[in-house]
Amino acid sequence: MNAEPRILRTQAEDTLALEFAAARTRLPGSPSVAAAREVAFADFQKAGLPHRRTEPWRYTDLRALLRTVPPLVSERAELPAIVDPLAGLDRARLVVVDGAYRPELSDLSGIDGVTVRPLAELLREGDERIGREIATLDDAVVSLNAALMTGGVAIDVPAGAKIARAIEIAHVTTGLLQTHTRNLVTIGADASARILETHVGPADSAYQANIVTEATVGDRAKVIWAKLQLEGAAAVHLGTFSVSIGEETEFDHLTLMTGASISRSQTFLAFAGENARAGLFGATMVRGKQHADIALTVDHAVPNCASRELFKAVMDERSEGVFQGRINVRPAAQKTDGRMMTQGLLLSEDASFFVKPELEIFADDVQCAHGATSGEIDEDILFYLLSRGISRPEAETLLVTAFLAEAIEGLGDEAIGDAFEAIARDWLANRGQEAK
Amino acid sequence: MLEIKNLHASIDGKEILRGVDLVVPTGEVHAIMGPNGSGKSTLSYVLAGRDGYDVTDGEIIFDGENIVETAPEERASAGVFLAFQYPLEIPGVATMTFLKAALNAQRKARGEDELTTPDFMRRVKAASEKLNVTQEMLRRPLNVGFSGGEKKRNEILQMALLEPKLAILDETDSGLDIDALRVVSEGVNALRSPDRSMLVITHYQRLLDHIVPDKVHVMSAGRIVRTGGPELALELEAKGYADYAGEPA
């Protein structure tokens, strides 16, 4: 029982212990959930915040970066007026404010057959699906979420349902808080769905959002999933997505990140049935002193599955981008086809890109590859555009947009792709104006 | 139109142009021939304003203004066009998007209204048909997967749409077979005009069978060392560049 004591706790870790002690009795959940919270917090305390010797977090040293943590949510906030970044994109909207699903702010039209419930209700019922998709993850930030989760939304797309209208989970943080949101998405066999995840908050508040989304995709289902991280400029975003997909599924996922001061978006995808295909794409745009980390683990546990990963990152000014990607091919996973590529584009001499692609292969009949590149805008190409009269900013915008578009279009959804490309163009249009 | 006076330029401290003097009057087509390494391509890049070349002395007078310090995009809007020897491939940027961006950027720089989409499409259609540039090529990313001939036709299409006052054709014949050379040359000849000057840079005389110049200049070791009529090209074809290979006296 005696875990090795960690003698030095950071101020942030101390605050979290106090917050948990004060909140444990009022956090929602059945007795089994309450017991699981205790275990999860003990796991967190044992590990502490991830630091540079925590291999999966080596480029995002939270122990150093999180000096303090803001308080937990204690009261229900009004929804602040925040510009809708996807205005014009047709979708249903499930609004989660400060880690709690708010039905009265949500719009569920056009998604008949889909069940939407507050996650807090499922916690009170002790729903055993909660925590299942993250059970094997050894990650202190996920443990912290498991200890402190307040709610979020549970979405059930029944077997065979074809839901054409996109469903957005709109996460909004209202002020200087730490939030721990948990979402649970279950997509039945033969169903099809398009899920959007957005993350926004006030520009001037150093809030910390910890979001864990668990998803299970049934056999032969077809899913498009796009995440948009547009958190406020001073925020910390810690997002975890863990999904397992059944046989013959088609699953495509895109993460676009441009907000927050410090952000980490980690995706864990497990193939649970044969002949499935997954595409995982990413587009990161950072500037100022932003730090944006993408971590990816693709677990080929069964034979005959294919995965494609393409992650692009654009770093301007003094920002830092990180990509850590890993494809595991287990002994049984013969005929795996896995290809991972990451490309960084540095727009400034002071920007950095840290990359660690990994393949771990235990089967012998597989096709796997990974690649990584990092560079600046090609001067020859730039001159070609300038020589036609195109201004330097416009030429750079054209080239950076084209660079990102390959990843955004990989998702294979034109409407979502167009909306996300518009966000990329907006970011480029504001170049040089938000230097910090 | 174009007057180059005592132009010296170097790259990485190495002097490539060593006092070029050249005048191309409005409406004339001049050819520059010369052995490899004589500075022909450098001259074309320096005229277009490429970064990395230091102009250490001399002037480039275009339309009465010295443009040595002018940015490449400003030169383009003022009417300078360079047809590249090796047009670049730009993945992710559709040819059509690129053409529209270029045309509208130049119009904007000159204080003109942007073209409406139908007007733009009409112009592209008219110009592309003459050059055998298909709709399919226009939809593809710029020059990506284009053959050598397609790339050169695409360069001339850009020239036709941008209507420059001065067109510099850098080794436009390189990589072309006879049929492609004919199509490209016809495209260029169709753009000859009393308001437009052209500087045709080539190593071989064969291009000048198709695009007959008013004058031929021989470049060697960074200078224009001889100037003559079209017959000079024939003489060079017959005798080679052996007489011009040495350092200038």
Side-chain angles (χ1 to χ4, degrees):
Chain A
M1 185 60 218
N2 283 335
E4 187 186 333
R6 288 184 3 93
I7 300 180
L8 287 174
R9 276 207 195 126
T10 66
Q11 189 191 337
E13 287 163 351
D14 282 340
T15 309
L16 287 165
L18 291 171
E19 291 273 4
F20 180 68
R24 66 212 295 179
T25 55
R26 67 176 162 83
L27 289 166
S30 66
S32 67
V33 168
R37 289 182 186 277
E38 298 293 331
V39 172
F41 198 78
D43 286 347
F44 168 72
Q45 282 207 301
K46 192 173 152 193
L49 285 166
H51 49 86
R52 62 197 155 80
R53 286 185 308 281
T54 312
E55 192 55 32
W57 286 79
R58 64 181 292 175
Y59 302 109
T60 301
D61 184 346
L62 279 192
R63 190 187 284 174
L65 292 168
L66 295 192
R67 293 276 168 211
T68 59
V69 290
L72 286 168
V73 180
S74 58
E75 58 193 39
R76 203 175 156 90
E78 290 308 307
L79 189 66
I82 288 176
V83 177
D84 176 2
L86 294 173
L89 183 68
D90 180 54
R91 80 273 192 203
R93 267 196 119 186
L94 316 178
V95 180
V96 175
V97 180
D98 296 337
Y101 173 52
R102 300 278 289 269
E104 80 283 9
L105 301 173
S106 301
D107 166 16
L108 278 68
S109 59
I111 55 167
D112 293 348
V114 177
T115 306
V116 177
R117 295 178 67 200
L119 191 98
E121 270 182 34
L122 278 69
L123 286 170
R124 285 182 205 107
E125 292 163 9
D127 193 310
E128 288 182 357
R129 291 175 300 168
I130 299 169
R132 192 183 287 165
E133 291 290 344
I134 56 163
T136 59
L137 304 185
D138 179 17
D139 186 289
V141 166
V142 174
S143 297
L144 195 59
N145 179 283
L148 291 164
M149 59 187 167
T150 49
V153 67
I155 303 174
D156 248 301
V157 178
K162 311 285 185 201
I163 310 299
R165 194 172 201 210
I167 304 170
E168 177 191 2
I169 311 173
H171 303 83
V172 183
T173 305
T174 60
L176 188 59
L177 296 166
Q178 54 167 310
T179 64
H180 297 272
T181 304
R182 177 69 63 92
N183 301 309
L184 183 67
V185 178
T186 309
I187 294 169
D190 302 296
S192 65
R194 299 155 74 223
I195 311 288
L196 287 159
E197 231 187 279
T198 58
H199 301 267
V200 298
D204 51 357
S205 169
Y207 65 89
Q208 296 176 10
N210 180 336
I211 308 97
V212 173
T213 298
E214 300 182 71
T216 309
V217 177
D219 296 343
R220 296 169 304 279
K222 205 165 175 226
V223 177
I224 295 276
W225 192 305
K227 167 178 172 175
L228 182 59
Q229 188 274 91
L230 286 177
E231 304 277 19
V236 175
H237 172 92
L238 302 170
T240 303
F241 177 56
S242 189
V243 59
S244 64
I245 65 174
E247 67 178 37
E248 293 177 40
T249 51
E250 301 266 325
F251 182 83
D252 287 290
H253 184 273
L254 167 67
T255 303
L256 187 146
M257 299 215 291
T258 163
S261 167
I262 297 159
S263 60
R264 160 97 164 182
S265 203
Q266 47 185 8
T267 296
F268 301 89
L269 180 139
F271 285 96
E274 293 189 38
N275 297 307
R277 183 195 62 75
L280 296 159
F281 305 94
T284 297
M285 291 158 276
V286 280
R287 60 164 66 102
K289 291 183 185 171
Q290 283 180 289
H291 174 96
D293 182 344
I294 291 260
L296 176 69
T297 304
V298 177
D299 188 5
H300 282 271
V302 296
N304 297 311
C305 291
S307 67
R308 288 286 176 279
E309 293 85 24
L310 178 62
F311 285 80
K312 304 251 189 172
V314 180
M315 281 74 49
D316 200 358
E317 298 170 356
R318 298 174 62 190
S319 62
E320 294 175 342
V322 178
F323 175 81
Q324 272 188 280
R326 184 187 180 87
I327 299 179
N328 292 327
V329 182
R330 298 212 206 173
Q334 299 295 359
K335 304 285 183 193
T336 288
D337 178 355
R339 278 158 219 277
M340 177 164 64
M341 172 56 92
T342 181
Q343 295 175 329
L345 184 60
L346 299 161
L347 299 181
S348 142
E349 288 184 1
D350 301 319
S352 322
F353 188 40
F354 302 94
V355 182
K356 200 173 124 206
E358 292 173 282
L359 290 174
E360 197 164 74
I361 302 174
F362 293 105
D364 52 17
D365 183 12
V366 302
Q367 283 192 42
C368 285
H370 67 69
T373 63
S374 180
E376 301 163 9
I377 286 184
D378 185 311
E379 282 296 320
D380 292 337
I381 289 179
L382 188 62
F383 172 65
Y384 191 54
L385 295 172
L386 297 177
S387 78
R388 298 302 182 248
I390 298 171
S391 68
R392 187 171 283 264
E394 193 184 348
E396 292 186 347
T397 297
L398 268 176
L399 296 176
V400 177
T401 307
F403 173 78
L404 293 169
E406 191 188 1
I408 294 173
E409 287 165 11
L411 183 68
D413 188 293
E414 202 174 327
I416 296 173
D418 287 351
F420 277 43
E421 278 178 26
I423 288 163
R425 278 195 300 275
D426 276 356
W427 183 84
L428 286 161
N430 290 325
R431 261 187 86 192
Q433 292 175 17
E434 290 174 23
K436 286 180 281 293
Chain B
M1 164 61 57
L2 176 69
E3 188 175 0
I4 301 171
K5 293 181 189 169
N6 189 34
L7 186 65
H8 289 254
S10 49
I11 183 161
D12 296 330
K14 188 175 177 230
E15 188 168 57
I16 311 284
L17 302 184
R18 305 177 182 188
V20 175
D21 290 292
L22 180 68
V23 177
V24 185
T26 304
E28 291 194 7
V29 174
H30 287 205
I32 295 185
M33 301 183 70
N36 291 328
S38 58
K40 304 189 300 292
S41 282
T42 297
L43 177 63
S44 70
Y45 285 141
V46 169
L47 290 175
R50 184 177 189 141
D51 264 0
Y53 294 88
D54 292 324
V55 173
T56 50
D57 200 3
E59 295 182 330
I60 303 169
I61 311 291
F62 174 67
D63 245 2
E65 306 264 341
N66 183 4
I67 58 167
V68 161
E69 300 292 334
T70 307
E73 62 272 29
E74 292 168 21
R75 295 187 199 194
S77 297
V80 176
F81 178 87
L82 170 63
F84 281 56
Q85 181 177 4
Y86 303 109
L88 286 109
E89 301 189 0
I90 310 190
V93 177
T95 305
M96 208 61 139
T97 306
F98 165 80
L99 293 174
K100 197 170 184 188
L103 206 49
N104 280 333
Q106 294 203 11
R107 293 179 69 89
K108 198 171 148 196
R110 292 192 296 258
E112 299 162 15
D113 286 340
E114 292 197 353
L115 289 176
T116 63
T117 300
D119 195 9
F120 168 73
M121 298 299 284
R122 245 189 322 275
R123 291 183 189 215
V124 172
K125 190 162 184 286
S128 56
E129 277 171 2
K130 282 183 202 158
L131 288 158
N132 270 337
V133 172
T134 61
Q135 291 298 307
E136 194 267 332
M137 276 170 70
L138 294 170
R139 278 192 296 269
R140 265 152 57 185
L142 185 63
N143 291 326
V144 175
F146 285 25
S147 70
E150 286 174 333
K151 285 181 184 172
K152 295 297 171 79
R153 268 153 42 207
N154 194 20
E155 292 293 286
I156 305 306
L157 171 65
Q158 293 168 40
M159 177 173 150
L161 289 170
L162 295 171
E163 301 177 311
K165 293 178 187 165
L166 171 68
I168 304 152
L169 309 178
D170 186 10
E171 307 272 4
T172 290
D173 52 328
S174 70
L176 295 187
D177 61 28
I178 294 292
D179 291 331
L181 183 64
R182 191 170 40 76
V183 174
V184 167
S185 303
E186 281 170 6
V188 172
N189 285 330
L191 295 170
R192 289 179 83 143
S193 139
D195 309 320
R196 179 170 297 135
S197 308
M198 294 190 193
L199 197 54
V200 180
I201 291 171
T202 182
H203 184 82
Y204 300 104
Q205 181 266 339
R206 65 168 193 169
L207 178 66
L208 305 182
D209 286 344
H210 299 272
I211 305 170
V212 179
D214 298 299
K215 280 204 172 123
V216 174
H217 307 274
V218 182
M219 192 161 184
S220 173
R223 287 184 192 170
I224 302 296
V225 293
R226 198 174 157 198
T227 294
E231 71 289 349
L232 180 53
L234 294 168
E235 181 193 321
L236 290 168
E237 183 74 2
K239 293 169 66 178
Y241 290 111
D243 294 350
Y244 305 99
E247 294 283 307

